[in-house]
Amino acid sequence: MATYKEIKGVTVQTRDEDPVIGGVPGATWSSSNNLNTARRLTDGSGPQSAGNCVSGLTPATPEVSTAVENYDGTSWTEIAELNTSRYGLAVSGATNTASLAFSGQAPAVSPALALTEQWNGSAWTEVGDLNTARWYGDGNGTYTAAVCFGGFVPGSPNVTANTELWDGSSWTEVNNLNTARQAISSGGASSTSAFAASGEVPPSGGKSEVELWDGTNWTEVAEVNSPRQYGGGAGTVTEGIIFGGAPASSPGLFALTENYNGTSWTEVADLGTARGNIAGEGFTARAALAFAGLVPGGVSNLTEEFSAAPATSAILTEGSIFLSGGTTLKGFGRAAGISTGTWASAPALNTARSELTGSQNGTQDAMLAFGTAPNIVEQYNGSS
């Protein structure tokens, strides 16, 4: 007897546009308006729609800039300049009207800076210095609660694992990174939750190690697929991205982007333009900003936004079948195979032994196990 479904059929949706992949795996990079001043080895903070770009190296003279620009989600606007120009600095802040700029290099002042400046939306003010001067370090948090880690320090060894916390008035040394390095890709919205991915240890090049900061300790987690140095980062310790930079041990520039889902790293959409010395910001991996950097032939003022499909979009889900444009029937499934399989426990052999081998007829539920020490043969039927 025919079923109701066989008699009545099933409804297939008709769509003018195909559904999209949701979340970070489906996010893409798109061009936005350029910075007013091209630069590299800069940094910024804030969400995608309210970030900033602070200081850095420019193609102009003087090369080290004090220029600061705010991003409103569409375009960049120049604002009050930093008091001390520098490059290789770190910046933290919740918005483009409340930021903290610290560390860096200003050749005319000092080989490495401990200097910290605070932005209140109208002016930069010098506040408490870091305990360890450095450049090419990184940081996360707000302008009243920040964390600074890693970087290059004069002397030997040249890279540091030193970590410091800012409480709004002073810096305090806390537990170090497990791996000292500079030029780190990082993300995190607070001083108690951040990730430090990849980075450089001269002269050996880039590292693949990733560490998570919980406000007290650094813990090593899964490594990145493509080690890099001088790349950008955004997001959180459970959903972060890194992008751009330079390969670990060979010349060239990266457009590669990787996503961390709290367990492992996966390559996702590439930047539109490969860049090193790139800066990034964003408190979510689904809405990040990449700007400035080094490109073949010079210094860049390019800006790109990394954006996932909004909640109102039609999201492609496993098992979906639809008519595309009313003419083409499409479906979305998931490839079967070893990549989707898992290991599960089964009943043990009756007799433990060494030097074991076996044979089977092509399935896992009909096989023999035999071997020496002792020379006993057992048959498996799929359950015992």
Side-chain angles (χ1 to χ4, degrees):
M1 179 182 292
T3 65
Y4 181 82
K5 182 184 289 186
E6 289 170 335
I7 295 171
K8 302 298 289 185
V10 294
T11 300
V12 177
Q13 288 183 311
T14 299
R15 296 187 178 279
D16 293 330
E17 295 181 355
D18 290 356
V20 296
I21 298 173
V24 179
T28 57
W29 290 100
S30 60
S31 297
S32 186
N33 289 311
N34 294 341
L35 285 157
N36 294 286
T37 301
R39 63 188 87 187
R40 63 188 179 92
L41 295 174
T42 180
D43 198 19
S45 64
Q48 183 192 71
S49 59
N52 57 27
C53 174
V54 182
S55 207
L57 288 177
T58 75
T61 302
E63 187 180 29
V64 186
S65 174
T66 56
V68 180
E69 300 186 37
N70 275 177
Y71 186 69
D72 63 5
T74 303
S75 59
W76 293 93
T77 303
E78 293 186 6
I79 57 171
E81 296 185 347
L82 208 62
N83 292 294
T84 300
S85 61
R86 62 189 92 176
Y87 63 94
L89 75 164
V91 181
S92 67
T95 70
N96 57 14
T97 59
S99 301
L100 194 72
F102 44 96
S103 71
Q105 185 177 23
V109 178
S110 171
L113 291 177
L115 189 65
T116 302
E117 297 188 39
Q118 203 170 45
W119 168 251
N120 63 5
S122 60
W124 290 94
T125 304
E126 293 184 10
V127 289
D129 288 353
L130 286 158
N131 293 285
T132 301
R134 69 193 82 191
W135 68 88
Y136 302 159
D138 220 321
N140 298 95
T142 68
Y143 85 131
T144 56
V147 57
C148 174
F149 46 89
F152 184 98
V153 295
S156 182
N158 289 328
V159 290
T160 182
N162 179 272
T163 301
E164 300 188 35
L165 285 180
W166 170 255
D167 63 5
S169 60
S170 62
W171 291 95
T172 303
E173 293 188 7
V174 290
N175 289 322
N176 290 345
L177 285 160
N178 294 287
T179 301
R181 55 189 124 162
Q182 64 179 19
I184 298 167
S185 299
S186 74
S190 75
S191 63
T192 59
S193 181
F195 69 83
S198 220
E200 181 187 28
V201 180
S204 61
K207 306 292 288 183
S208 59
E209 285 88 344
V210 179
E211 301 183 39
L212 302 186
W213 171 251
D214 63 6
T216 304
N217 297 303
W218 290 98
T219 303
E220 292 187 9
V221 293
E223 297 182 350
V224 299
N225 296 292
S226 300
R228 69 195 69 202
Q229 54 216 19
Y230 302 100
T236 68
V237 297
T238 57
E239 193 174 70
I241 59 168
I242 60 172
F243 45 86
S249 57
S250 61
L253 300 171
F254 265 157
L256 289 173
T257 302
E258 294 191 38
N259 163 231
Y260 181 67
N261 63 4
T263 304
S264 60
W265 292 88
T266 304
E267 291 188 9
V268 289
D270 288 352
L271 283 163
T273 301
R275 281 176 275 169
N277 296 172
I278 194 172
E281 61 197 35
F283 297 145
T284 167
R286 303 181 185 212
L289 197 68
F291 51 95
L294 183 66
V295 295
V299 179
S300 171
N301 63 353
L302 294 174
T303 301
E304 295 185 45
E305 293 185 348
F306 187 71
S307 301
T312 54
S313 296
I315 303 299
L316 195 62
T317 58
E318 186 174 352
S320 292
I321 297 177
F322 56 94
L323 283 173
S324 179
T327 59
T328 304
L329 184 64
K330 293 184 177 182
F332 175 66
R334 189 175 303 280
I338 293 175
S339 60
T340 59
T342 58
W343 289 99
S345 297
L349 286 160
N350 293 291
T351 304
R353 69 196 78 183
S354 63
E355 302 175 20
L356 183 71
T357 189
S359 65
Q360 65 182 93
N361 69 351
T363 66
Q364 68 179 169
D365 58 359
M367 63 181 67
L368 295 175
F370 48 88
T372 60
N375 188 15
I376 295 175
V377 179
E378 295 190 40
Q379 182 180 15
Y380 183 66
N381 64 7
S383 60
S384 62

